[in-house]
Amino acid sequence: MITLIVSFLAINIISFWYLKKNIVNPINILAIGFLAGAIALYYAKDDWNVSLDNKTIFILILGTIVYCIGVLVAEFIVDAFSPERSLEKKYYLDAELMSNSTLVITLIIVEVIATFVVYKYIMGFSGATSLSSAISYYRNTLMSADASLVQFPGWLNQIMKVTMAGSYVSLFIFMYFRLVREKKESWILIIPIIVYMIQSLILGGRLQLIRVLLFTLICAYFLTMYKSKSSKKANRFLMASSKWLIIILPFFYLIKGFLGRTSSDTFLAYIARYLGGPIECFDLYIKGNYFSSHLKGQETFASIYQLVTGKGDVQSLTFRWMQSPNGIWVGNVYTGYKRYFVDFGVTGVVILLFLLGLIFGCMYFIILRSIKRRKLAGYVLMCYGFFAYSILFEFFDDTFFSVSVSVGTILQLLEMYVFYRLFLVSAKSEKEIN
């Protein structure tokens, strides 16, 4: 475990200095998640009576190194298609951002109605009299073989996806006006994301709150860098904003009972199990040889598998609860690396993590180049902030290949782009964002 902690700490430090001291580079985001998980596991190791197998350590470190290589290769690719000589252009005749009150108000109305309908369905699924009991029933059933009993109608799912896309775009527009133009734009722009977070809680999800926070921090970081032309000021802004963790973590723990979690662990024990459990589950999985025959890619590309076969994810295999040697329940997620390993072996871990690094590396360097040219790639920045959740929580489980590589995500990206364009108006002025 010390080996993991030292390795991920070293990766964080080296990547921070090599990538021009930008804290939110894709390597740091992934390595910080694994560092937190490794420290939490070290804290809980005596209670769980566990130690990591060398094979587990090897796979985790190898996969992360290959991911780093993918990010670095992405820089060369972006440079090849984005030569420095184009920096000579300073002014552009294109479009600039504006606030669209009619669009935002319409979005709020539709989202509030959708949230109310979701609430009615959640209460109706179980027939429970309390929202907490209804959420608990919904979550437990959704993770079981009876998941079909708690499915929303297709039209409601589509409305939730559309309003989710609009909520993130509206939040981004709000931050742009506040941080770049320094205008006190109407607070109505953040109402959609607030309604979205309430909707997420009704659905029993807490990680979506962290996703919103991460999106906000990353977008605000780059917008601050764009405005100040300095990564130092952006870093100071991010460090000052980290105080929100003092609020988020206790809140994350305190609402677990309301959302159907029944753990009686103390705060530190609960956080240690939540953060350290996935790495230990992966280790127990490898030691226990819990392998079963299934189609290649069935776990890694779960959404595509479901689309092609009409079947859901292999719940019993993917979310099997694991116990430590002394009988303590450790968890039921195994890091994202486990999905790649069980489907394709070590070779799959190498290839998929290289691709993951390449994808996020390209987005990251496109954003940096656009800032340098004073031509902010706003849509790419939103996508990077939106999907950064996937690499931060790679230590927890994969959500990029298994969830985001899907037809639904493609449609959601198109919806985000449509909302984004609706906030643009034609204007003959210096181009600030595209």
Side-chain angles (χ1 to χ4, degrees), residues 59-109:
I59 293 173
L60 292 177
I61 294 177
L62 174 65
T64 304
I65 291 174
V66 172
Y67 170 84
C68 296
I69 294 173
V71 172
L72 298 180
V73 169
E75 182 176 14
F76 292 101
I77 293 176
V78 172
D79 283 342
F81 290 94
S82 184
E84 291 294 326
R85 62 177 177 273
S86 64
L87 290 177
E88 295 175 1
K89 289 187 176 182
K90 295 182 180 180
Y91 297 96
Y92 303 82
L93 298 178
D94 205 312
E96 63 178 9
L97 279 172
M98 68 170 290
S99 177
N100 192 327
S101 299
T102 302
L103 175 63
V104 177
I105 292 172
T106 303
L107 174 63
I108 293 171
I109 293 173

Side-chain angles (χ1 to χ4, degrees), residues 190-264:
I190 65 172
I191 293 179
I193 202 69
I194 294 173
V195 178
Y196 167 72
M197 289 190 288
I198 293 172
Q199 186 182 107
S200 298
L201 289 175
I202 293 175
L203 292 169
R206 295 174 297 174
L207 292 181
Q208 294 303 321
L209 305 185
I210 296 179
R211 184 175 196 171
V212 171
L213 176 63
L214 185 63
F215 174 87
T216 303
L217 291 176
I218 287 178
C219 290
Y221 178 91
F222 284 112
L223 289 173
T224 301
M225 183 190 296
Y226 177 71
K227 176 66 176 178
S228 64
K229 303 179 183 179
S230 169
S231 61
K232 291 182 179 180
K233 290 185 178 180
N235 288 335
R236 285 199 295 268
F237 168 83
L238 190 66
M239 295 305 296
S241 301
S242 63
K243 62 179 180 291
W244 285 100
L245 289 176
I246 300 175
I247 299 174
I248 291 295
L249 288 179
F251 177 75
F252 195 82
Y253 173 75
L254 292 173
I255 65 172
K256 64 182 177 64
F258 176 74
L259 298 180
R261 274 73 168 183
T262 57
S263 173
S264 58

Side-chain angles (χ1 to χ4, degrees), residues 12-165:
N12 272 297
I13 294 173
I14 294 172
S15 64
F16 175 73
W17 285 100
Y18 181 79
L19 296 176
K20 301 178 181 179
K21 301 180 181 180
N22 293 326
I23 296 177
V24 296
N25 69 72
I27 297 178
N28 272 141
I29 293 175
L30 179 131
I32 286 172
F34 271 103
L35 179 61
I39 292 174
L41 178 57
Y42 183 80
Y43 173 84
K45 67 180 179 65
D46 292 333
D47 290 338
W48 296 349
N49 189 28
V50 295
S51 60
L52 293 180
D53 189 273
N54 288 334
K55 185 176 182 179
T56 305
I57 296 173
F58 170 74
I59 293 173
L60 292 177
I61 294 177
L62 174 65
T64 304
I65 291 174
V66 172
Y67 170 84
C68 296
I69 294 173
V71 172
L72 298 180
V73 169
E75 182 176 14
F76 292 101
I77 293 176
V78 172
D79 283 342
F81 290 94
S82 184
E84 291 294 326
R85 62 177 177 273
S86 64
L87 290 177
E88 295 175 1
K89 289 187 176 182
K90 295 182 180 180
Y91 297 96
Y92 303 82
L93 298 178
D94 205 312
E96 63 178 9
L97 279 172
M98 68 170 290
S99 177
N100 192 327
S101 299
T102 302
L103 175 63
V104 177
I105 292 172
T106 303
L107 174 63
I108 293 171
I109 293 173
V110 173
E111 193 167 28
V112 168
I113 294 173
T115 301
F116 178 74
V117 175
V118 167
Y119 167 78
K120 297 296 288 185
Y121 268 100
I122 291 292
M123 297 300 293
F125 285 144
S126 65
T129 56
S130 70
L131 180 58
S132 178
S133 298
I135 292 173
S136 179
Y137 173 83
Y138 171 74
R139 287 190 65 258
N140 293 333
T141 306
L142 190 64
M143 299 290 288
S144 70
D146 298 321
S148 59
L149 298 176
V150 291
Q151 296 298 318
F152 296 112
W155 63 268
L156 182 57
N157 284 322
Q158 293 307 314
I159 289 177
M160 287 193 290
K161 290 178 181 178
V162 171
T163 54
M164 174 186 177

Side-chain angles (χ1 to χ4, degrees), residues 390-402:
S390 295
I391 50 175
L392 177 65
F393 279 88
E394 186 71 16
F395 81 95
F396 190 80
D397 193 10
D398 171 82
T399 60
F400 188 78
F401 293 112
S402 62

